[in-house]
Amino acid sequence: MSDSPQQTHYRICPLCEACCGLEIKVSEGRVISIRGHEADVLSRGYICPKGVALKDLHEDPDRLRQPLIKRDGVFHEATWEEAFAEIERRLQPLQAAHGRHSVAMVAGNPTSHKLGLMLYYPRLLKALGTRQIFSAATLDQMPRHVVSGLLYGHWMTVPVPDIAHCDWLLVLGANPVASNGSMWTVPDFRGQAKALQARGGKLLVIDPRQTETAQLADEHHFIRPGGDVFLLLGMLHSLFAQNLVKLGAAAPWVDGLEAVREAVSPYSPEQVSARCAVPAETIERLARELAQTPRAAIYGRIGTCTQSFGTLNTWLIDLLNLLSGHMDQVGGTMFPKAAAFAANTLGPAGQGRGVVLGRHHSRVSQAPEVMGELPITCLAEEIETPGADQVRALITLATNPVLSSPNGARLAKAFEGLEFMLSLDIYLNETSRHADVILPGPSPLEDLHYDVPYPQMSWRNHARYSAPVFERAPGQPEEWQTLLRLAAIAQGAQGPQDTQTLDEQLFQTDLRRLPPPQSEAVAQATAGLQGPQRLLAQALCQGPYPLSLAEVQQAPGGLDLGPLTPRLPEVLRTTTGRIDLAPAGLLADLQRVPAALQESSEALLLIGRREVRSNNSWMHNLPTLAKGPMRCTLLVHPEDASTLQLQHGAWAWLALKTPPTDAQATAPAGLRVQVELSPRMMRGVVSLPHGWGHDLAGARQQVAAQRPGVNLNALMSDQARDPLSGNAVLSGVSVHLQALTEPA
């Protein structure tokens, strides 16, 4: 046997928003072990099963290593130059004949964990020149971006709980014990929550399921799915009624308080209690405890966003934090200060251009653009509907909307009608199986990395860099090079292109836009670099600390840049330099609430769920995460099961209560689901996890196919969305459930 010595590498885990630090030992080109990095300044040695599964991902035999070209319906391996030539041959004539808006682009959340994709995806979008841009953001998080933009002036100015100092934390529609934060990077939430409790603090959870976070909490209250808007309005009403409103540090920078008072005046706890299923006295007490605890915060996430009032919920959560005096205060909700790439650290402090919603609208449904994107639930109709700017070609980037979006069957059928489809993906999955060309990215362990979005939402300020663990396979381009080649094709370039030359031209163009003092500093900081490293070096030197790339590279555990600190008013980028508590669009959307308040609350409601081992559909192909009990089960309260004559482990038929419309004709009539009895479910609510359904012909994920599960989103309507953000409605849907008699 070889006595080859082991080498130790330190990496940022790219598999979820927690971004934990990993210690990876390798020998002879293979991963020997993965553990948490004790010296990591952010995660401090914490690791979850996903981090260990990075070895499975790197070694997965199903992971694509060569481009694929489809000929006569069959995929064949090809060289990179053959693949680029095929893209050029197919895409350019289509653009010339039908215009730039005939090409659509869809990006998935793995994009945010790859530095090259994050920094060069905008360059590809600019080259394409299309308005048909979609992403996974309108499946779970766009309400957060809308509220951040309207209140604070930028989509990524996200207030997060200062959990290190908080003494009262209310978690609403989120399960951070499983996720370790979402739009809030907080590795080892369980440990942080226990520390909060150990210092005498209190953790409260409001959720239709007694989640892993609820089991840890001091209090858990059930809430009727979709009832969050009523609970939050009732709490705001209580703050005013009990004379508990105080603005604290935000007071000098706030407008619109009286407009908020008037807007919430009809929604007393007594008025909203029945609709949200939270007692009026509990609503009043929660508001009182929030206001009277010196260091307190409310955090809401996917459960509050994936419903028809998603943007209102997010706004009301921020209002509660603001009006209880806890915004921008230690122990409350605070604004991280990222070392690089954060727009709220650039330019003049305290004022900016703000944001604009609806600069254009989708062609068919007239859904407004948000953050440059259209709702992903509009994609199928944009492909199906003839006319000017009909989508005829599609590029997908690290995404699987056939499973992750509502009515995936309709999307799959629409994809088959495209004239050309290109997927950039490491798997032949339920979406990329429809492509004409698939371009694989390298393994995360073959790529350098620095998180772009997540330090902007982190529990502590930091800067961390990961060098590649392994060399890329011969011929495998870096992802930024792939995107530059595609950008050149989109601009009409013919034949092979030198990506280094393309990159240099783009960088020099950007450099000339900077004033002389900045341009000279950037030129010095980036000398000798190219690609993402050069853009990272530029961002670090222009950042608020400032730092050199070498300083960050030389810190294996990262640089600790300190706890969160108050940032008002410098963090604001609104046109007025102030926070408008009552934007007109949000006040107008409140007009939908009275009618919803009168709706019946008797129906059986369906919610999703996420688990630590299956945050995304592609994780079901990793043996470390796939092992153990089947997780794609329908959780049903035992008393509901008794009423419906359902048994634990038996099979049942789950269908929408409201029949599908013509636009949903491709959706299945229902799903055959396995029942799991759970007293942790609220009566009248059932739960099925998302991301499953790996039984579609043509996908190549052997482990996932062994236990395919069923696709929750296949039932969901692609016509239901939050009107302000365009976010899909994936929670609180009325369903029928009945026993099946055939054996499992």
Side-chain angles (χ1 to χ4, degrees):
M1 294 181 62
S2 171
D3 293 326
S4 175
Q6 291 185 358
Q7 295 177 314
T8 301
H9 299 262
Y10 300 103
R11 292 286 304 181
I12 305 165
C13 181
L15 301 185
C16 81
E17 293 183 46
C19 305
C20 299
L22 306 178
E23 179 184 285
I24 303 177
K25 294 188 181 298
V26 303
S27 178
E28 297 184 325
R30 294 182 62 85
V31 174
I32 303 302
S33 69
I34 299 179
R35 57 178 293 177
H37 183 200
E38 298 287 344
D40 187 88
V41 298
L42 183 71
S43 58
R44 301 174 178 177
Y46 176 79
I47 190 174
C48 83
K50 293 193 296 295
V52 179
L54 196 54
K55 171 181 167 67
D56 290 351
L57 178 63
H58 178 72
E59 298 175 356
D60 191 348
D62 288 335
R63 183 169 63 82
L64 301 178
R65 280 132 171 112
Q66 285 292 126
L68 298 179
I69 296 177
K70 186 182 288 179
R71 297 189 177 96
D72 298 323
V74 178
F75 280 111
H76 299 274
E77 286 193 354
T79 67
W80 282 89
E81 286 306 323
E82 288 172 337
F84 285 125
E86 179 71 3
I87 296 165
E88 179 185 315
R89 183 180 73 84
R90 302 283 297 276
L91 185 63
Q92 289 180 344
L94 192 149
Q95 288 176 300
H98 302 290
R100 295 198 166 269
H101 301 312
S102 67
V103 182
M105 183 89 208
V106 186
N109 61 12
T111 305
S112 64
H113 295 279
K114 303 297 289 288
L115 181 66
L117 295 183
M118 282 295 294
L119 298 185
Y120 283 79
Y121 174 53
R123 296 200 186 284
L124 174 57
L125 289 179
K126 184 176 181 180
L128 286 169
T130 180
R131 288 181 173 178
Q132 299 278 15
I133 302 170
F134 308 84
S135 85
T138 49
L139 292 172
D140 72 3
Q141 70 191 54
M142 195 59 87
R144 177 65 268 172
H145 294 303
V146 170
V147 173
S148 288
L150 292 177
L151 266 62
Y152 317 118
H154 194 270
W155 315 108
M156 286 297 295
T157 299
V158 178
V160 301
D162 179 21
I163 193 170
H165 305 101
C166 186
D167 294 323
W168 190 95
L169 177 61
L170 175 61
V171 174
L172 179 64
N175 188 12
V177 164
S179 68
N180 287 294
S182 178
M183 300 295 285
W184 178 28
T185 294
V186 53
D188 190 19
F189 175 85
R190 183 186 294 274
Q192 298 266 25
K194 287 183 175 179
L196 179 155
Q197 292 167 321
R199 61 178 178 262
K202 189 174 181 180
L203 174 65
L204 308 93
V205 173
I206 298 176
D207 201 284
R209 180 169 73 94
Q210 191 180 27
T211 63
E212 294 86 345
T213 306
Q215 294 170 48
L216 176 66
D218 299 282
E219 286 186 23
H220 169 238
H221 302 280
F222 285 124
I223 185 171
R224 192 77 173 149
D228 307 78
V229 68
F230 309 115
L231 167 73
L232 295 167
L233 284 167
M235 289 181 66
L236 273 168
H237 183 283
S238 292
L239 286 184
F240 285 107
Q242 299 180 64
N243 294 316
L244 294 172
V245 171
K246 54 184 178 182
L247 293 171
W253 319 107
V254 162
D255 297 321
L257 181 60
E258 289 307 310
V260 171
R261 183 196 303 270
E262 181 179 352
V264 305
S265 61
Y267 304 107
S268 68
E270 293 76 16
Q271 288 288 105
V272 300
S273 174
R275 190 64 177 80
C276 63
V278 179
E281 56 270 23
T282 300
I283 297 173
E284 292 174 349
R285 177 175 62 83
L286 291 173
R288 187 165 55 251
E289 289 185 7
L290 170 67
Q292 293 179 345
T293 305
R295 298 184 173 191
I298 301 180
Y299 166 68
R301 248 314 274 133
I302 291 179
T304 61
C305 287
T306 55
Q307 51 180 282
S308 63
F309 291 111
T311 304
L312 283 185
N313 289 336
T314 308
W315 173 51
L316 296 173
I317 289 170
D318 277 19
L319 287 183
L320 283 166
N321 285 317
L322 275 156
L323 301 191
S324 60
H326 297 308
M327 181 68 75
D328 200 46
Q329 291 201 328
V330 171
T333 52
M334 306 188 78
F335 300 99
K337 181 180 282 189
F341 304 115
N344 63 34
T345 65
L346 301 175
Q351 193 168 354
R353 296 187 299 176
V355 303
V356 178
L357 307 179
R359 292 172 296 177
H360 58 268
H361 292 72
S362 68
R363 186 175 58 98
V364 180
S365 288
Q366 292 298 301
E369 161 273 338
V370 178
M371 208 167 66
E373 299 182 11
L374 298 171
I376 198 168
T377 50
C378 294
L379 177 57
E381 65 188 24
E382 291 293 322
I383 298 172
E384 298 164 345
T385 308
D389 295 335
Q390 176 186 3
V391 171
R392 298 169 183 269
L394 177 68
I395 302 174
T396 68
L397 178 60
T399 187
N400 192 4
V402 168
L403 288 192
S404 61
S405 298
N407 201 352
R410 183 184 182 192
L411 264 180
K413 185 178 179 181
F415 291 165
E416 285 302 301
L418 289 165
E419 296 179 32
F420 178 67
M421 179 171 167
L422 165 66
S423 288
L424 287 79
D425 210 293
I426 61 174
Y427 284 115
L428 179 51
N429 61 25
E430 292 79 10
T431 293
S432 62
R433 67 192 172 124
H434 297 283
D436 298 289
V437 179
I438 305 177
L439 301 180
S443 160
L445 297 183
E446 298 169 347
D447 203 0
L448 61 88
H449 186 60
Y450 182 99
D451 281 312
V452 174
Y454 302 112
Q456 301 181 51
M457 301 177 287
S458 176
W459 76 277
R460 189 173 180 88
N461 295 316
H462 67 279
R464 299 178 302 159
Y465 175 91
S466 295
V469 175
F470 300 116
E471 292 184 4
R472 284 174 287 113
Q476 168 77 56
E478 295 187 60
E479 286 173 308
W480 66 272
Q481 295 174 313
T482 298
L483 294 183
L484 281 186
R485 284 292 301 268
L486 295 177
I489 290 172
Q491 293 283 29
Q494 303 286 318
Q497 301 291 312
D498 181 353
T499 54
Q500 292 186 4
T501 299
L502 295 174
D503 187 49
E504 184 66 28
Q505 291 171 346
L506 290 169
F507 181 76
Q508 292 300 327
T509 298
D510 291 343
L511 194 62
R512 285 192 291 271
R513 294 193 179 104
L514 298 175
Q518 286 188 39
S519 62
E520 293 168 6
V522 168
Q524 182 176 356
T526 59
L529 300 174
Q530 65 171 356
Q533 279 194 317
R534 176 160 58 182
L535 299 184
L536 173 57
Q538 175 183 352
L540 287 168
C541 87
Q542 291 182 297
Y545 291 97
L547 296 166
S548 70
L549 177 59
E551 288 178 275
V552 181
Q553 289 175 321
Q554 291 163 11
L559 296 177
D560 183 3
L561 302 176
L564 306 185
T565 56
R567 293 191 61 196
L568 285 176
E570 63 88 9
V571 72
L572 299 178
R573 293 298 184 271
T574 56
T575 57
T576 62
R578 301 176 64 79
I579 300 171
D580 181 5
L581 297 178
L586 291 166
L587 291 179
D589 199 38
L590 269 178
Q591 303 307 309
R592 294 191 294 130
V593 172
L597 190 58
Q598 303 305 316
E599 293 176 2
S600 170
S601 58
E602 298 302 316
L604 183 67
L605 300 180
L606 174 65
I607 62 172
R609 68 180 186 271
R610 289 189 174 184
E611 296 175 333
V612 68
R613 292 178 179 268
S614 62
N615 272 12
N616 295 292
S617 63
W618 54 270
M619 291 184 180
H620 302 151
N621 208 57
L622 307 181
T624 297
L625 301 181
K627 66 184 180 182
M630 181 58 177
R631 297 177 181 88
C632 188
T633 58
L634 184 76
L635 299 184
V636 184
H637 190 279
E639 293 183 27
D640 287 331
S642 177
T643 300
L644 297 168
Q645 298 183 318
L646 299 171
Q647 301 295 319
H648 181 79
W651 294 84
W653 186 250
L654 181 70
L656 292 182
K657 186 175 181 181
T658 303
T661 65
D662 290 342
Q664 299 169 267
T666 51
L671 298 175
R672 186 172 175 271
V673 296
Q674 189 170 21
V675 172
E676 179 180 347
L677 300 189
S678 174
R680 301 190 188 282
M681 290 302 302
M682 183 181 185
R683 286 289 311 275
V685 183
V686 295
S687 173
L688 191 67
H690 90 301
W692 296 80
H694 304 287
D695 55 358
L696 300 179
R700 192 186 300 168
Q701 293 175 296
Q702 300 175 62
V703 174
Q706 292 173 12
R707 295 195 294 179
V710 296
N711 183 7
L712 162 68
N713 292 330
L715 279 184
M716 299 300 179
S717 168
D718 53 8
Q719 305 300 298
R721 60 183 73 99
D722 169 29
L724 285 178
S725 66
N727 209 90
V729 175
L730 301 173
S731 183
V733 177
S734 298
V735 292
H736 283 300
L737 183 64
Q738 65 184 52
L740 290 176
T741 56
E742 75 265 24

